[in-house]
Amino acid sequence: MSASYTGQKSYYGDGMAQNIARRRRHGRVWHILFYAATTISILALIVLLLNIFNAVFGFVLIEDEVPPTELAPGGDLESLSQGELISLLEEYLSVGLIRRFNFEEPLAERSVTDLAALVQVRIVNPTVIEAWSLQESLFQSDMIRAEHAAHPGTRVQFRSWLSARFLVSPQNPRPQLAGIRTAFFGSLWMIIIVIVVAFPIGVAAAIYLEEYARSEIWYNRIIEVNIYNLAGIPSIIFGLLGLAVFVRALEPFTSGTVFGGVDPTTANGRTIISAGLTLSLLILPIIIINSREAIKAVPSSLRESSYGLGATKWQTIWHHVLPASFDRILTGTILAISRAIGETAPLVVVGASTFITVDPKTLFSKFTTLPIQIYQWSARPQSQFRNVAAAAIVVLLVLMLSMNAVAIIMRNRISKQRRI
Amino acid sequence: MDTKLAMHTKNLNFFYGDFQALFDVSLDFGANEVTALIGPSGCGKSTLLRCLNRMNDLIPETRSEGEIYFRDQPIHGQEVDPVEVRRQVGMVFQKPNPFPKTIYENIAWGARINGYRGDMDELVETSLKKCALWDEVKEKLKQNALGLSGGQQQRLCIARTIAVEPDVILMDEPTSALDPISTAKIEDLITELRKRYTIIIVTHNMQQAGRVSEKTAFFLNGVIIEAGLTSDIFFNPKEERTEAYISGRFG
Ligand SMILES: Nc1ncnc2c1ncn2[C@@H]1O[C@H](COP(=O)(O)OP(=O)(O)OP(=O)(O)O)[C@@H](O)[C@H]1O
Ligand SMILES: [Mg+2]
């Protein structure tokens, strides 16, 4: 206790300066901790990206079974006609194999590009016998040269595993020919189904729970608690649910038999629609929770001014509450959809195909998705599939980033109209 | 009864859950009069105001006893739709709360949802003119209303309320967030509006109550202590507590 300059007694004492210094020191420690946390996350992200890109580019050692120059002038297979390609296939390949190709999709109906790809795989049959990472390619050229010299008849090529061909080619047992076309379409279908199913149902349920349901009634409270719990359930459980309900119980619907047009190879419930509905269920609770938070954040003054003018509940919701919360609803939904795109476990349970090369054409087709494909590739014994998987990861990341970018752009547009 | 009544309450009790906010409130609001509700913070003025257009229905776990009449119709009747009540008994809030839309839309929206079939441009113009806002905003009708100053926003809120042609306008401390110049404008506006509307205004500003109102009701802890002509309440209060509050010795 001491006297302040006014002469009155003060309990703050004379050590004011020390006190402030101590408080500031305390604050600085937290500041450093926060900074460190951010640095760690950014470093982790950089390591992840470096690791991926290290596997996407690099030198490869290739050996051709039949050099393409023997099959087509200049080695350009696509310059041949459809007939020439088919006769090449029939000349080099077994009858049984040709019959199988015809069963998958008649050769005569395939395009020149598809046939040329088939010739490339089955006849030219280039094999990557060794692949080096970007780091090795840049810094260990001696090792690569030595390896090349040890394998006569091979060529060394710089290869980007991520290429236009990679994007448009279907799955293939040979790493250098494998592509993600089928998986990409599968993921695209998933996104569409999830948007069409989970988004409207989730937002509608959020509106009901937030605006109509009276929380003092016991069953509404039970519903509320359960939705929060559902959001935390491991995704594999949703996979089991999807297997039981969509694949098994609703098979006539999800296989498409009741709607007629069935794909004979897939007349069971392990179809795109089953997987899409399973993922929709998985993210429904997340969309509901996010949308409810968004609706809850609308200031009550906005509702009151609407009601005060004689608006009905629905007019208030439609004209004021939803527009005011839509940007947040959108962000929450996109985050939920990103989660759905990245899911693997439930789709494995529901029955994603391990190997398909035909584009999914209807809701009742067999399917595979990007994460499933990545998972399978990284589990293959050939080391080159790790490069393929890395390229697919880049595609998956780009897909997610562009979805998030769309969300941010839409959100900024909406908010700009509403705020100053 | 000399003047026609726009609204009156009879033995109104109001509860937030277990908490009783209004006790036996019986008040008359004459048509085309300005009635001021005064009293210390937390005495139930806003609660009464929000009862008058059934805004409290929106708060869960509230309940009221007694009756409120609009003209001669009880507004809590089974057949009465609160939406209709709120159109006829408009409300201006303490904090200006225009919609985050254009100035034009702020006026037009209420009219449109209530089925207005006249010329919308004309309605927007006349409503803004009545609130002495037209000259300030006529160049920027398509701009967002949130870009206006607080005083302009509050006048816009009044304009939006009168555009749906209510009979009664409730104002909850409409000038508490405004500077003296904007306040003066709104007071002038109230004096102008009383020719066509019945106005019930809550205010903490005694001078304001004296300037704009004919009748005043003084509240304390949810009970009406005294109600009557403003001049009587201010200069000849019957109750000691009224005098104490008005002269600033209390509350
Ligand atoms: N939503 C609510 N839930 C519970 N109690 C409330 C609610 N709103 C108001 N009250 C209580 O009701 C009483 C009256 O509140 P009211 O808002 O009507 O006061 P007021 O006279 O308008 O005060 P002020 O002049 O500060 O605005 C207060 O005791 C308040 O705590
Ligand atoms: Mg109040």
Side-chain angles (χ1 to χ4, degrees), chain B residues 103-116:
Chain B
I103 293 169
Y104 185 96
E105 262 310 296
N106 261 275
I107 312 266
W109 188 77
R112 198 178 304 125
I113 57 154
N114 282 297
Y116 177 76

Side-chain angles (χ1 to χ4, degrees), chain A residues 27-285:
Chain A
R28 254 196 313 274
V29 171
W30 283 108
H31 182 161
I32 291 168
L33 283 178
F34 295 145
Y35 187 81
T38 313
T39 315
I40 290 172
S41 345
I42 290 176
L43 279 180
L45 196 67
I46 290 174
V47 169
L48 175 81
L49 287 178
L50 281 181
N51 192 22
I52 292 170
F53 281 101
N54 191 34
V56 173
F57 305 99
F59 282 112
V60 290
L61 197 61
I62 296 176
E63 189 171 36
D64 290 330
E65 195 176 316
V66 181
T69 37
E70 289 180 15
L71 302 175
D76 183 7
L77 294 172
E78 295 209 22
S79 65
L80 299 176
S81 71
Q82 196 192 29
E84 285 169 326
L85 286 166
I86 292 179
S87 50
L88 267 179
L89 286 167
E90 282 165 352
E91 178 186 338
Y92 278 90
L93 302 180
S94 74
V95 182
L97 201 53
I98 298 286
R99 199 183 307 126
R100 205 187 91 198
F101 288 147
N102 273 319
F103 179 68
E104 273 175 8
E105 192 180 351
L107 288 177
E109 286 174 23
R110 301 196 187 190
S111 67
V112 170
T113 325
D114 287 351
L115 289 170
L118 207 56
V119 171
Q120 174 79 17
V121 189
R122 293 291 169 172
I123 305 173
V124 176
N125 196 4
T127 316
V128 173
I129 48 182
E130 187 70 66
W132 293 279
S133 70
L134 185 58
Q135 193 199 352
E136 288 163 341
S137 307
L138 291 179
F139 303 114
Q140 298 177 343
S141 44
D142 292 345
M143 178 183 83
I144 295 172
R145 239 176 258 128
E147 197 74 19
H148 184 201
H151 292 80
T154 59
R155 55 202 163 95
V156 172
Q157 209 177 42
F158 186 81
R159 181 180 176 96
S160 163
W161 291 89
L162 180 64
S163 62
R165 189 207 52 77
F166 178 71
L167 295 179
V168 298
S169 315
Q171 163 69 298
N172 195 291
R174 291 171 184 282
Q176 70 271 21
L177 296 176
I180 47 151
R181 180 193 175 96
T182 328
F184 185 80
F185 279 121
S187 282
L188 224 50
W189 273 104
M190 292 299 128
I191 296 176
I192 292 169
I193 295 174
V194 163
I195 289 176
V196 169
V197 176
F199 176 64
I201 296 181
V203 175
I207 292 173
Y208 176 78
L209 289 171
E210 209 44 54
E211 298 284 334
Y212 292 90
R214 295 178 39 203
S215 62
E216 64 263 26
I217 302 177
W218 62 270
Y219 55 81
N220 282 328
R221 242 181 274 147
I222 290 184
I223 291 176
E224 212 160 286
V225 170
N226 274 311
I227 286 176
Y228 275 90
N229 287 338
L230 275 181
I233 286 182
S235 56
I236 189 128
I237 312 260
F238 281 94
L240 293 171
L241 176 76
L243 180 67
V245 176
F246 300 125
V247 177
R248 302 253 161 84
L250 296 177
E251 201 206 299
F253 298 95
T254 52
S255 65
T257 33
V258 294
F259 305 108
V262 194
D263 182 344
T265 57
T266 62
N268 62 40
R270 297 170 181 278
T271 52
I272 288 182
I273 183 79
S274 295
L277 291 176
T278 306
L279 289 183
S280 300
L281 280 192
L282 171 72
I283 64 166
L284 196 55

Side-chain angles (χ1 to χ4, degrees), chain A residues 216 301-313 315-316 319-320 323-324 416-420, chain B residues 50 55 58 60-61 83 86-87 90-91 93 97 99-101 109-110 113-114 144 146-147 160-161 164:
Chain A
E216 64 263 26
S301 63
L302 185 59
R303 294 166 210 265
E304 287 184 339
S305 53
S306 169
Y307 283 120
L309 288 173
T312 61
K313 182 170 225 158
Q315 286 170 325
T316 303
H319 291 278
H320 300 294
K416 207 180 286 162
Q417 287 163 5
R418 301 181 51 82
R419 301 203 182 89
I420 298 294
Chain B
R50 295 165 56 90
M55 211 57 139
L58 303 173
E61 298 184 41
V83 168
R86 292 188 201 120
R87 196 190 72 77
M91 186 152 191
F93 299 83
N97 56 352
F99 298 125
K101 297 174 184 277
W109 188 77
I113 57 154
N114 282 297
N144 195 313
L146 297 183
R160 154 182 98 178
T161 306
V164 299

Side-chain angles (χ1 to χ4, degrees), chain B residues 16 19 21 39-48 59 94 172-173 202 204:
Chain B
Y16 292 105
F19 175 75
S41 195
C43 68
K45 307 177 296 292
S46 301
T47 303
L48 173 62
I59 304 175
Q94 173 170 359
D172 195 348
E173 303 181 44
V202 170
H204 281 293

